[in-house]
Amino acid sequence: MNFEQLTYAVRDRVALITLNRPDRMNALTKVMEREIRDAMEQAGQDPQVRAIILTGAGRAFCAGMDLEELEVLPPDDIRAQHWMRPYDMNRRADYQTRYSYFPAVHKPIIAAINGAAAGLGLIMALYSDIRFASSKAVFSTAFAKRGLIAEHGIAWILPRLVGPGHAADLLMSSRKVSAEEALRMQLVNRLVEPEVLLDEAVAYARDLADNVSPRSIRVMKRQLWEAPYQTLGEAVAEANQEMFLSIQSADFTEGVQHFVEKRPAMFTGK
C-alpha cells in the first residue's frame, strides 16, 4: 500500500508508522486520517507484525488538525458517512468510531511522542497502549482555545489515565504541559532523551515481538480495553475462561518449554 502523508515500514516484526508532514508539524489532514487507519489495519492484519510504533517526522508528533482544513470544516463532517467503516461484529462498537479504533487492533501500539502532541495528536497518543515521550515533548488538548469541545471520546479516556481533576484542568485550560509534568500525572509511561527516543521505542517493541506470546498480548489487550465496561466479577469470569483456553494453547506449551530448556522463545501466537 502506498501512502502520501505517512511512511510505513516493517522490520524485525515491528511496524513503524511515521506521520510525514514535518513542515506542518504533522498536522492532521483528511488524507492523513484515512492513511493512519489504513496503516493500522494493515499492520494489525499482517502476520509478520507483532508490535506497532506510531511517531512523527521532524520536531512534532502531531500538532492537531491542519488549520487550513479546520477553517473550512463543515459542521456535519463529524457525522459524514464516508468516515464510517463497515461494522465488525467481532469488535466492540465503542472501538469502531473515527478515532477510537486503536484498541480494536489486536497488537500493542506504542506512541513514540517526539514533539508537540496537541488536539487530535494527543487523542491518538491516548488511544495507544503505551506512550514513550521525548523529554522535549509538549502536550495540549487545545480544543477550548479553538472554541471546540472534548472530541472523540477524550472526556472518557483522559480521566482514566490522569484522574478527573487533571483531566478537567487539561481540557478546560488547554494549557501546554511539559514532558516532565506529563510523566508525573501518568499521561505518558516513560521519558526518553530526544536523540534515542525511537531507538528506545523500537527496542521495547522488538522485545515484545521476540520474547512475549502474541496470543497473550492479544488477549490481554482486549481484557484491558474491555475492563472499563465490566464489573469485577465479569472481569474475573472472563479471565477464568481465557485461562482455560490459554492452558490448551501452543504458546503456553512453548512458554513452559523454552523456560525449562533455557532457550529463546519461539512463539507462534496460537
Side-chain angles (χ1 to χ4, degrees), residues 94-108:
D94 305 82
Y95 301 139
Q96 297 191 52
T97 63
R98 188 165 166 180
Y99 290 94
S100 72
Y101 60 89
F102 282 26
V105 177
H106 298 306
K107 297 166 186 177

Side-chain angles (χ1 to χ4, degrees), residues 69-231:
E69 293 200 3
L70 185 61
E71 287 177 341
V72 296
L73 190 70
D76 61 353
D77 176 76
I78 195 69
R79 295 178 290 195
Q81 285 297 314
H82 64 263
W83 292 118
M84 306 306 293
R85 301 282 174 116
Y87 180 73
D88 184 346
M89 294 182 64
N90 297 311
R91 298 182 179 184
R92 175 176 281 279
D94 305 82
Y95 301 139
Q96 297 191 52
T97 63
R98 188 165 166 180
Y99 290 94
S100 72
Y101 60 89
F102 282 26
V105 177
H106 298 306
K107 297 166 186 177
I109 299 172
I110 302 153
I113 305 163
N114 54 301
L120 293 172
L122 178 59
I123 284 177
M124 288 189 289
L126 295 178
Y127 278 120
S128 299
D129 300 295
I130 298 163
R131 285 162 292 282
F132 284 26
S134 160
S135 58
K136 294 185 178 180
V138 179
F139 303 83
S140 175
T141 59
F143 303 121
K145 289 186 176 179
R146 302 290 178 268
L148 299 172
I149 51 80
E151 296 180 351
H152 300 291
I154 193 173
W156 181 89
I157 194 169
L158 190 57
R160 286 166 168 78
L161 293 173
V162 303
H166 286 311
D169 167 28
L170 297 182
L171 287 167
M172 293 179 182
S173 71
S174 290
R175 66 183 179 86
K176 292 181 179 179
V177 174
S178 69
E180 291 78 9
E181 185 180 2
L183 181 65
R184 287 197 300 272
M185 67 172 65
Q186 298 184 326
L187 188 65
V188 300
N189 304 100
R190 190 178 302 184
L191 286 192
V192 182
E193 290 306 307
E195 60 271 16
V196 295
L197 171 67
L198 193 55
D199 290 339
E200 291 280 339
V202 168
Y204 183 87
R206 285 179 178 165
D207 181 58
L208 296 183
D210 293 341
N211 300 314
V212 180
S213 158
R215 184 184 184 282
S216 293
I217 288 183
R218 183 171 66 246
V219 174
M220 286 177 176
K221 176 166 179 172
R222 190 183 72 243
Q223 287 177 289
L224 287 168
W225 285 101
E226 288 284 336
Y229 305 96
Q230 296 173 320
T231 64

Side-chain angles (χ1 to χ4, degrees), residues 3-9 15-22 26 32 35-36 39-40 52-62 110 112 114 124 198 202:
F3 298 103
E4 296 178 40
Q5 297 186 1
L6 60 80
T7 63
Y8 179 93
L16 178 62
I17 300 170
T18 305
L19 310 182
N20 194 30
R21 301 184 72 220
N26 300 317
M32 184 186 285
E35 291 187 345
I36 293 169
M40 284 290 178
I52 303 166
I53 297 173
L54 178 66
T55 193
R59 61 192 179 93
F61 177 72
C62 174
I110 302 153
N114 54 301
M124 288 189 289
L198 193 55
V202 168

